[in-house]
Amino acid sequence: MVRRVVVALLGPVVWSPPGVDPVQWRTALAEDVVDLLATLAEVETAVAATPADRWLADAVRWPGTTVYEVPEPTVTAVLAALDGYDQAAVLAADAPDLPGLVLGKLLRPLTSRPVAVAPVEGGGPGLLGVASRLPVPGWLPALDLDAAGPADLRRAAPAPADVAVTPGWHRLRGPADLAALDPAVEGWDTTRTLLSGRHA
């Protein structure tokens, strides 16, 4: 049986909608992502944060969820902290309406490729998530989900085909991203509630 883990990485959130408290916003995004992970089948779930953000991890994690403290909020630091798994995915914690299907597609290529990446939908810098076989390939570069792109991994790989690029999704990093939220998608209740009350 292949042991898989999906980790929500509580990285910095540099933008919040006007009228919404930045701490409440960050907490709502993280809570919705962690709640989504809890619904996934056939994977274990965890949360990763720097020591400074341990309070946020403790606020949003489910009982029994492992919290990994990492020295920096990067994919590389999270993957290095994991032990006992065959495959892992590290996910940005600012995609509250992410469908579980997108996560499944991120993990699926690991049966034949060492690494898979999900880009941010609509282009622009950054990744939604990265999945890797464990132990981590030695060529995998240091990765920041806010800055890296699929091309960075493909350049580092022995062959570009070693990195599968899977369907992407939007992250909430600016005003334009709010328009991408789909009210018909189930979930993201905390973020939805916070947005609906911001003009109240």
Side-chain angles (χ1 to χ4, degrees):
M1 184 71 180
V2 175
R3 284 194 73 198
R4 301 181 181 92
V5 63
V6 180
V7 186
L9 174 55
L10 307 182
V13 173
V14 297
W15 173 84
S16 61
V20 176
D21 176 77
V23 173
Q24 282 188 307
W25 176 246
R26 187 182 185 201
T27 303
L29 295 178
E31 186 172 318
D32 283 339
V33 171
V34 170
D35 286 354
L36 161 74
L37 297 189
T39 69
L40 299 178
E42 299 179 10
V43 297
E44 296 178 47
T45 60
V47 177
T50 62
D53 286 334
R54 176 67 192 234
W55 64 271
L56 179 58
D58 288 336
V60 301
R61 73 183 184 96
W62 284 46
T65 301
T66 301
V67 176
Y68 292 97
E69 283 197 13
V70 291
E72 56 186 6
T74 63
V75 172
T76 324
V78 175
L79 293 175
L82 302 175
D83 188 33
Y85 294 101
D86 303 300
Q87 299 176 358
V90 181
L91 182 70
D94 55 8
D97 62 336
L98 178 70
L101 189 63
V102 172
L103 272 179
K105 290 179 177 178
L106 178 61
L107 286 162
R108 191 169 300 134
L110 297 184
T111 56
S112 58
R113 316 270 191 98
V115 172
V117 295
V120 174
E121 198 173 58
L127 296 166
L128 170 71
V130 177
S132 175
R133 293 179 191 166
L134 299 177
V136 178
W139 53 262
L140 191 70
L143 288 174
D144 179 341
L145 288 175
D146 289 332
D152 298 317
L153 282 88
R154 288 192 149 171
R155 275 195 299 270
D162 288 339
V163 179
V165 180
T166 66
W169 196 254
H170 49 262
R171 295 171 55 188
L172 297 189
R173 298 189 291 176
D177 299 321
L178 288 178
L181 286 168
D182 185 351
V185 174
E186 289 186 14
W188 63 284
D189 296 335
T190 310
T191 303
R192 195 191 306 255
T193 300
L194 194 58
L195 286 172
S196 67
R198 65 179 166 148
H199 298 303

